[in-house]
Amino acid sequence: MNNKEVIAVLLSGCGHQDGTEIHEATLTLCAIHAHGAQYQCFAPDIAQHHVLNHITGQEMPEQRNVLIESARIARGDIQPLSEYKAGDFAGLVIPGGFGAAKNLCTYAFDGIDCTVNDQVARAVRETHAAGKPLGALCIAPVILAKVLGKGTLTIGQDEATANNLIAMGARHEATWQGEICVDRENKLVTTPCYMLDSRVDQIAKGADGVIGAMLELC
């Protein structure tokens, strides 16, 4: 398997309220295989911002690790993000979930003044500098906007978040369920997923579109 056929998938924990959105992650992995490619999962080896009860939404009195939690989705086949090398992969895709905005960056708390985890920022910059495609689902496009300060992205129809992307230097393209936004110049592919009131089949369509477009851009 050569590196043109392997896509890196950056996870942020396990569970949409405090980690990776599980539907988005698993359907992204499914789409990668459906398009005849392979994947390698990564996550930063850092403390999770907090742990929420996914039934009540209440914070729980415990601490978890982003890499260890992400390993639940990856079935243990995961590497620390510190080991990521852009040259080894065809591209990098980031599923959404609040973990992208709480663990990979601080957008959930700081908005346009957010900071991005150093390892995450490095991975995005190195992938972009290598001329390889970057994909992002749901809220994850804010990471691309903050790190790159350019590009055409989508988070669906949410005006406030769209304005934040613009304030970070990006352009926003409004989309609906299952649609994708492709910035061919910057090799960025995004889809809104659960930024809209979406069904699982619509998440699958968006994830499939992102991966298909990324592989086309390789």
Side-chain angles (χ1 to χ4, degrees), residues 102-171:
K102 293 178 177 178
N103 301 327
L104 303 186
C105 73
T106 65
Y107 179 78
F109 314 108
D110 302 323
I112 61 173
D113 297 320
C114 67
T115 58
V116 178
N117 173 274
D118 289 344
Q119 294 178 23
V120 174
R122 177 190 64 82
V124 169
R125 289 194 187 101
E126 288 186 2
T127 304
H128 182 67
K132 298 185 176 185
L134 287 154
L137 289 69
C138 198
I139 193 61
V142 300
I143 296 173
L144 304 186
K146 187 65 177 181
V147 174
L148 300 177
K150 62 179 180 180
T152 301
L153 307 165
T154 189
I155 47 79
Q157 298 286 327
D158 184 79
E159 184 176 354
T161 307
N163 287 338
N164 284 346
L165 289 178
I166 294 168
M168 293 178 191
R171 296 180 298 277

